[in-house]
Amino acid sequence: MQKIRPCLWFDDQARQAAEFYVSVFGGESAVLDITYNGEAAPGETGTVLTVDFRLAGQEYTALNGGPAFTFSEAVSLSVDCESQEEVDRLWAALTEGGAESDCGWLKDKYGFSWQIVPRVLPELLGGPDKARAERVMKAMLGMRKLDVETLRNA
């Protein structure tokens, strides 16, 4: 069992969100367990309380906690993408019904924030060539979805 498991607070969309995320990431992703409200629970008896799920090997819990709390950009998931094709695929899936933001950030249709990051970005921003890093940073700051070729050419 994973020692630390992030818990994502939803109003009443935990199951839909978990199933959506699993469909987007595929591979090692799966819904692991669903618990339901009993008579003593705060929600309506028989409705979904929590959903445990795995995305690319990382486990999460989605909680139907009601409308008291909402997501903000203060917490996001950063996704390491091997290629522009993976960036494009995840960006398209996660922005559908959501919203694009700057520098590879987006909000999905549930209001949760993601960073869709090409694997090459840290290499381009690091290393001894400080002028290149500045050009790459400037290029990135002008983007919404990150474009690997433009970043490499900066």
Side-chain angles (χ1 to χ4, degrees), residues 40-80:
E44 184 179 332
T45 301
T47 60
V48 172
L49 176 62
T50 64
V51 180
D52 293 330
F53 63 104
R54 181 177 49 242
L55 298 179
Q58 171 75 40
E59 293 182 8
Y60 301 86
T61 296
L63 167 71
N64 279 332
F69 301 107
T70 58
F71 297 120
S72 81
E73 290 84 352
V75 175
S76 64
L77 295 180
S78 181
V79 182
D80 172 51

Side-chain angles (χ1 to χ4, degrees), residues 136 139 143 147-154:
V136 171
M143 296 179 186
D147 182 275
V148 172
E149 184 175 346
T150 301
L151 292 170
R152 284 183 197 254
N153 292 333

Side-chain angles (χ1 to χ4, degrees), residues 4 25 31 35 54 57 67 73-74 77 86 92 95 101 110 128 133 150:
I4 297 174
F25 287 93
V31 171
T35 61
R54 181 177 49 242
E73 290 84 352
L77 295 180
E86 186 177 16
T95 58
S101 192
Y110 302 103
T150 301

Side-chain angles (χ1 to χ4, degrees), residues 4-147:
I4 297 174
R5 179 187 296 207
C7 181
L8 308 179
W9 181 297
F10 294 87
D11 181 359
D12 63 356
Q13 300 168 310
R15 184 178 194 158
Q16 296 92 323
E19 290 172 349
F20 171 67
Y21 299 149
V22 165
S23 75
V24 167
F25 287 93
E28 297 178 46
S29 304
V31 171
L32 304 172
D33 190 35
I34 301 173
T35 61
Y36 297 89
N37 286 305
E39 290 183 26
E44 184 179 332
T45 301
T47 60
V48 172
L49 176 62
T50 64
V51 180
D52 293 330
F53 63 104
R54 181 177 49 242
L55 298 179
Q58 171 75 40
E59 293 182 8
Y60 301 86
T61 296
L63 167 71
N64 279 332
F69 301 107
T70 58
F71 297 120
S72 81
E73 290 84 352
V75 175
S76 64
L77 295 180
S78 181
V79 182
D80 172 51
C81 298
E82 292 183 37
S83 65
Q84 185 66 52
E85 292 75 23
E86 186 177 16
V87 168
D88 294 346
R89 182 183 68 75
L90 293 175
W91 189 268
L94 292 169
T95 58
E96 187 174 327
E100 295 184 357
S101 192
D102 298 326
C103 303
W105 288 61
L106 63 88
K107 280 191 176 189
D108 66 29
K109 61 186 170 183
Y110 302 103
F112 191 74
S113 293
W114 298 82
Q115 300 173 56
I116 307 303
V117 182
R119 182 167 293 160
V120 71
L121 183 62
E123 172 191 322
L124 295 172
L125 289 173
D129 189 344
K130 302 302 181 199
R132 178 189 72 175
E134 288 297 319
R135 291 189 309 271
V136 171
M137 178 62 73
K138 184 176 180 181
M140 183 187 72
L141 291 173
M143 296 179 186
R144 289 195 173 254
K145 177 178 70 172
L146 299 184
D147 182 275

